């Protein structure tokens, strides 16, 4: 509605209440004023109040225009200690403190969540760099915006009783789902010990199936992660013959999105990264509380979750700076992953060459973050 005020020079000579009375007389029909029992004295007394109320409304409108509300985020997550640690942010209301509305959506595997991101069904997902490099081609490129953790003993190879080393798995049957992180772990172990991939027979089975086959004597070894790795070794009276603690592992877990979403929801994703840094700080300052809260949500003790999480290098500020800025960071890791993939065609996929390593969000989050 536009209000046209005549005789502009007179404005300076009248009071605010009189000004409001004149506006009201133009906007509200006299018949309505009489029906409601209004008088000029009543209107004049309310004039200053109403003028102030109008000013407040205008200021609020301007504020809303200047600071548009943040959009909700839909984030895919699969079960893994390096991802599940984010549950603390929800329980402790850290997302809300950052002005975010975040929905964590569970997936059975990272391939499905990565696919959902690239199809636009999710804003981002927790996924390993290995899975991102093998993700399905689409209309947009995957973008890595944060590192959550690097495996440092949490993954490994367990062998049946009598097998003491990786070298003794030559010509043997090892359970590992082809094309998954399990496949990467096995390829790293074989490369470390100078063994060609085709020297080992890979049974393309899930973790659970591999454990069953080990117990029945149908496998000689299996690639697993904690806590299943240690539990299985104990059950079959076997041996853990390799863990990722032996090398600088390429089992690098991340938060991935796609280029269109990064551009459209830059503010929201930056705040998500900031909240992640809040969680990393909480681990440093009150680890027992963090592990207890997350363990409770996962149905395990805080001590058990802490043991699983301690097999990882956590994605704190130092980790982000190393992986996004160092020459031997994420870009070098992608090159090495691509080389490993080509050594074993059983993976069935060629590596993507359009993965975007995007430091913009994590850099902005670090610069603005305070404990």
């Amino acid at each position: 509605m536009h209000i046209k005020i005549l005789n502009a020079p007179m404005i300076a000579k009248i009071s605010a209440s009189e000004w409001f009375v004149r506006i009201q007389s133009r906007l509200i029909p006299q018949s309505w004023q009489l029906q409601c029992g209004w008088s000029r004295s009543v209107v004049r007394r309310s004039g200053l109040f109403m003028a102030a109320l109008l000013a407040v409304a205008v200021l609020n409108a301007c504020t809303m225009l200047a600071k548009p509300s943040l959009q909700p985020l839909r984030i895919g997550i699969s079960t893994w200690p390096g991802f599940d640690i984010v549950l603390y942010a929800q329980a402790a209301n850290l997302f809300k403190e950052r002005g975010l509305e975040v929905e964590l959506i569970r997936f059975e595997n990272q391939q499905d969540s990565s696919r959902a991101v690239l199809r636009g069904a999710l804003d981002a997902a927790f996924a390993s760099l290995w899975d991102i490099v093998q993700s399905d081609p689409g209309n947009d490129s995957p973008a890595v915006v944060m590192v959550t953790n690097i495996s440092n003993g949490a993954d490994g190879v367990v062998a049946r009783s009598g097998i003491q080393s990786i070298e003794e798995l030559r010509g043997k049957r090892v359970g590992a789902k082809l094309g998954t992180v399990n496949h990467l772990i096995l390829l790293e172990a074989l490369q470390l010990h100078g063994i060609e991939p085709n020297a080992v027979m890979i049974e393309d089975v899930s973790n659970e199936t591999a454990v069953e086959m080990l117990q029945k004597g149908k496998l000689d070894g299996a690639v697993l992660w904690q806590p299943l790795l240690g539990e299985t070794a104990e059950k079959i009276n076997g041996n853990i013959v390799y863990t990722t603690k032996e090398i600088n592992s390429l089992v690098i877990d991340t938060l991935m999105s796609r280029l269109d979403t990064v551009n459209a929801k830059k503010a929201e994703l930056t705040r998500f990264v900031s909240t992640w840094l809040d969680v990393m700080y909480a681990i440093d300052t009150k680890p027992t509380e963090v592990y207890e809260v997350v363990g409770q949500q996962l149905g395990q003790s805080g001590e058990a979750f802490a043991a699983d999480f301690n097999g990882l290098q956590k994605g704190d500020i130092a980790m982000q700076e190393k992986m996004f800025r160092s020459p031997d960071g994420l870009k070098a890791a992608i090159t090495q992953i691509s080389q490993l993939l080509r050594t074993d065609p059983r993976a069935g996929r060629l590596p993507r060459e359009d993965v975007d390593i995007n430091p913009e969000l994590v850099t902005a989050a670090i610069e603005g973050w305070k404990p």
Side-chain angles (χ1 to χ4, degrees):
M1 179 181 296
H2 299 280
I3 302 173
K4 184 177 179 181
I5 302 178
L6 301 177
N7 300 322
M10 293 294 295
I11 293 177
K13 299 180 181 179
I14 64 175
S15 66
S17 59
E18 183 65 25
W19 174 79
F20 188 77
V21 167
R22 293 186 183 185
I23 292 178
Q24 273 193 324
S25 66
R26 292 175 182 269
L27 294 179
I28 303 174
Q30 186 175 11
S31 58
W32 291 12
Q33 296 182 35
L34 292 174
Q35 185 176 353
C36 295
W38 289 8
S39 68
R40 288 183 64 84
S41 60
V42 171
V43 172
R44 185 175 290 107
R45 285 197 300 269
S46 65
L48 285 174
F49 171 75
M50 294 300 294
L53 188 63
L54 181 62
V56 171
V58 170
L59 286 174
N60 286 339
C62 292
T63 301
M64 292 177 65
L65 289 173
K67 296 182 179 179
S69 59
L70 296 170
Q71 296 299 309
L73 288 176
R74 289 167 51 85
I75 309 292
I77 184 172
S78 52
T79 301
W80 173 243
F83 302 155
D84 288 326
I85 196 71
V86 79
L87 297 177
Y88 179 76
Q90 280 192 323
N93 292 322
L94 299 184
F95 286 129
K96 289 184 179 179
E97 290 177 8
R98 293 277 180 185
L100 287 177
E101 179 184 340
V102 176
E103 181 182 6
L104 297 174
I105 302 169
R106 284 281 172 182
F107 283 79
E108 288 295 323
N109 59 71
Q110 298 168 38
Q111 295 94 328
D112 288 344
S113 60
S114 300
R115 190 177 298 115
V117 170
L118 294 176
R119 291 178 178 176
L122 296 174
D123 296 306
F126 292 102
S128 72
L129 195 60
W130 173 264
D131 286 317
I132 297 169
V133 168
Q134 296 182 88
S135 57
D136 295 338
N139 296 328
D140 203 356
S141 298
V144 177
V145 299
M146 183 181 76
V147 173
T148 63
N149 65 269
I150 297 178
S151 183
N152 188 38
D155 304 276
V157 179
V158 59
R160 61 173 172 78
S161 178
I163 296 178
Q164 304 289 334
S165 67
I166 286 288
E167 286 85 352
E168 294 177 53
L169 286 175
R170 292 178 185 271
K172 300 294 195 297
R173 297 161 64 90
V174 178
K177 191 69 178 173
L178 291 172
T180 67
V181 173
N182 300 57
H183 192 189
L184 167 61
I185 296 165
L186 180 58
L187 291 178
E188 281 192 314
L190 296 176
Q191 184 183 64
L192 179 65
H193 293 273
I195 303 171
E196 293 294 324
N198 58 12
V200 173
M201 293 180 285
I202 299 179
E203 289 291 328
D204 185 17
V205 294
S206 67
N207 286 6
E208 293 74 17
T209 301
V211 171
E212 292 177 7
M213 294 177 70
L214 267 174
Q215 292 174 325
K216 294 176 181 179
K218 295 182 179 180
L219 285 178
D220 300 295
V223 180
L224 302 170
W225 52 72
Q226 297 290 12
L228 197 56
L229 179 65
E231 293 171 354
T232 302
E234 185 176 349
K235 284 180 182 179
I236 66 173
N237 195 28
N239 303 297
I240 297 176
V241 296
Y242 167 80
T243 74
T244 49
K245 196 167 187 176
E246 297 179 34
I247 60 170
N248 291 323
S249 180
L250 293 172
V251 182
I252 302 169
D253 295 314
T254 74
L255 181 72
M256 62 87 68
S257 185
R258 61 186 185 124
L259 290 179
D260 283 351
T261 304
V262 169
N263 292 327
K265 293 192 171 182
K266 191 170 296 183
E268 291 84 354
L269 290 170
T270 299
R271 293 199 188 195
F272 188 94
V273 175
S274 297
T275 309
W276 177 267
L277 298 180
D278 294 337
V279 175
M280 297 298 101
Y281 180 73
I283 293 172
D284 290 336
T285 56
K286 44 187 176 183
T288 302
E289 175 186 315
V290 175
Y291 298 144
E292 285 291 340
V293 168
V294 177
Q296 185 176 17
Q297 294 188 62
L298 297 174
Q300 61 182 130
S301 69
E303 292 81 2
F305 180 79
D308 296 342
F309 189 80
N310 287 336
L312 305 172
Q313 298 178 53
K314 68 179 184 295
D316 55 13
I317 289 178
M319 173 70 74
Q320 308 302 333
E321 291 177 337
K322 174 185 175 183
M323 299 309 293
F324 280 94
R325 298 176 182 176
S326 172
D328 59 349
L330 288 171
K331 290 183 179 179
I334 287 180
T335 299
Q336 295 174 59
I337 285 174
S338 298
Q339 292 171 349
L340 270 181
L341 266 173
R342 291 187 173 93
T343 66
D344 192 356
R346 288 175 291 186
R349 289 178 178 269
L350 292 175
R352 294 186 68 135
E353 298 181 353
D354 64 340
V355 177
D356 180 59
I357 305 302
N358 191 312
E360 182 180 0
L361 305 185
V362 76
T363 298
I366 291 172
E367 289 177 351
W369 186 83
K370 294 180 180 179

